[in-house]
Structures are given as C-alpha cells and as structure tokens.
Amino acid sequence: MQHLPTDSHRSILLVGASRGLGHAMAAEFLKKGWNVLGTVRGPNRTELHDLADSHPGRVEIESLDICAPDQLAALRDRLADRTFGMLFVNAGTANRDPSQTIGEVSTDEFIHVMTTNALGPMRVIESLEGNVTATGLIGAMSSGQGSIANNLSGQRELYRGSKAALNMFMRSFAARQAGTGRPLAVMAPGWIRTALGGDDAPLSIEDSIPKLVDVLLAKRDRPGLEYLDYRGQTVPW
C-alpha cells in the first residue's frame, strides 16, 4: 500500500470512517488540507473508497472491527512506524428497541452496545496513542446523551449509559495524561439524521460535521480533556 505524504501533523487516523458521520469527517478533513487514514469494518466497498478514488494519494483505508482485539493488534503492528497529528474514534450503536428501560435490556444487547460504544473505542485509543505526535489530539465521538447532568428526560437508557461510560473512561485516560500537554476531546455532534439518529433528527450531517471538525482543529491548541458539542460549547459531564 502506498503511504500518505509524510507530514504527520496534518494527517488523521480516523477509526470508523466508512459512512455517516465518519465518512463526512474524512471528507471535511480533506477539504482542510489534511490526509486521512480511515478504517472500515469489512471487505465491502464503502463511501470511504469513493472518497479515496476522488482524492488520489490522500486517503488510505485499513480494516478494523473495534470489537475484535485481534484485528486491533494487527492494525497496531501494521502502523508501527507511522505517526499522525490526530486520532479520532467514531463509533456508535444502539439496542434494537431504544425505548427499553435498562432493566428490560438483554444481557447480550448490553454487552454489544457497551463494547461498541465504550470498551472498543478505549481499546483503540490505548493501543494507538503511541502513533499520535506528542501534542497531537486524541478524541472520540460521544453524545450529548452521555451527559449525566443533562439527563432530565431518561429514554435511550442503554445508549446514554454507554456514552457516559465512554466519557468516564476518557476522564481516566486524561488523568494518566496529565502534564503531557496533549489535547483530548469527547465530542457531542448533535442529533443528526443518520441510520442511528433516525429521520426525525433536527440536524443534517452538513449542519454538524464541518463545525465539529473546526472545533477539533481549534482544540489542538488547548491541552487536556474537554467535552464539547459541534458548536464548540462545553457540555456538562
């Protein structure tokens, strides 16, 4: 595989870039002059492949299922000599019936959602942090529904809990990074019309993702962890 140009400070390792928000992020970073190494889950052609075709030499594609530790270990080995200016993990799923209370959720669905939304992203971050420049940003896609303080309505309980868990794990990771000068972020992209967000969501991808990318680029100058929405506003933990 031909590697990206060598300016690691303007290259992003974007995990979960095949479609939806991740694909939109990849496209926006390309517009900003960055190069993208994006991951997809399976062997099938995705929207990221189309993006690679339209931006020759600026997009690489790797395979990764974040719920498969062996795939993550293999990716880490393949990227052993690579560095990036940013690592961002985009992952999100919900149980089949989001209206279920936490007491109604099956054990299998609980494990699947928590692994995909919290454990998997943190495993990626823990495994690949060494591939990020010393002051490069590491971030993950959270949700406004992961805010404990803002949860006044309940609903989508398993999804909320998984994103709150991601936020807490990132707080622990940040505590271990204290004093390094590394910027860290968990992002709330807003309620967006996607396969996960549904047709009733008030925001389009175009409403959110270009602003979210701008927020991430600005965050590079501020060390430490922040929980931010797509407008750059702080979300209460």
Side-chain angles (χ1 to χ4, degrees):
M1 176 185 292
Q2 182 180 4
H3 285 179
L4 299 173
T6 56
D7 182 6
S8 60
H9 291 280
R10 292 180 65 82
S11 62
I12 180 172
L13 175 50
L14 182 55
V15 174
S18 62
R19 59 188 176 89
L21 304 187
H23 167 263
M25 287 184 67
E28 193 63 26
F29 271 100
L30 289 169
K31 289 179 185 177
K32 301 289 187 183
W34 284 54
N35 297 309
V36 176
L37 191 156
T39 72
V40 301
R41 270 194 300 178
N44 296 331
R45 186 175 179 85
T46 70
E47 294 176 48
L48 187 63
H49 291 82
D50 296 335
L51 200 61
D53 289 346
S54 61
H55 294 79
R58 295 187 58 202
V59 178
E60 283 183 75
I61 300 175
E62 286 279 1
S63 179
L64 175 66
D65 180 342
I66 65 170
C67 296
D70 57 335
Q71 291 188 25
L72 178 56
L75 178 63
R76 183 182 57 206
D77 289 344
R78 293 196 298 273
L79 299 180
D81 61 345
R82 305 287 299 280
T83 55
F84 301 85
M86 189 180 299
L87 165 63
F88 192 87
V89 184
N90 171 59
T93 193
N95 48 315
R96 287 187 294 271
D97 180 3
S99 69
Q100 287 180 318
T101 67
I102 194 63
E104 296 170 329
V105 171
S106 72
T107 301
D108 286 344
E109 283 204 300
F110 181 87
I111 292 170
H112 173 67
V113 173
M114 292 294 288
T115 301
T116 303
N117 291 1
L119 178 59
M122 292 311 304
R123 278 178 169 162
V124 170
I125 288 169
E126 298 276 10
S127 294
L128 301 180
E129 64 168 310
N131 295 95
V132 186
T133 57
T135 57
L137 184 145
I138 296 177
M141 193 72 83
S142 184
S143 168
Q145 294 187 29
S147 169
I148 294 174
N150 280 349
N151 183 8
L152 303 178
S153 63
Q155 304 175 15
R156 297 177 64 84
E157 293 184 15
L158 178 53
Y159 181 80
R160 284 182 184 274
S162 68
K163 291 298 188 177
L166 172 65
N167 292 349
M168 178 60 79
F169 296 146
M170 279 294 287
R171 292 283 300 248
S172 295
F173 180 77
R176 288 184 269 123
Q177 299 282 324
T180 66
R182 183 182 293 288
L184 303 164
V186 286
M187 298 300 302
W191 185 12
I192 303 174
R193 291 188 294 277
T194 62
L196 181 63
D199 295 334
D200 295 331
L203 298 175
S204 68
I205 287 177
E206 294 74 22
D207 292 329
S208 170
I209 294 304
K211 294 176 182 177
L212 183 146
V213 168
D214 285 339
V215 170
L216 286 174
L217 292 174
K219 169 60 181 164
R220 291 182 301 158
D221 296 326
R222 301 194 306 272
L225 176 64
E226 295 180 67
Y227 184 13
L228 302 169
D229 70 15
Y230 70 100
R231 298 162 299 185
Q233 302 297 307
T234 298
V235 182
W237 295 99

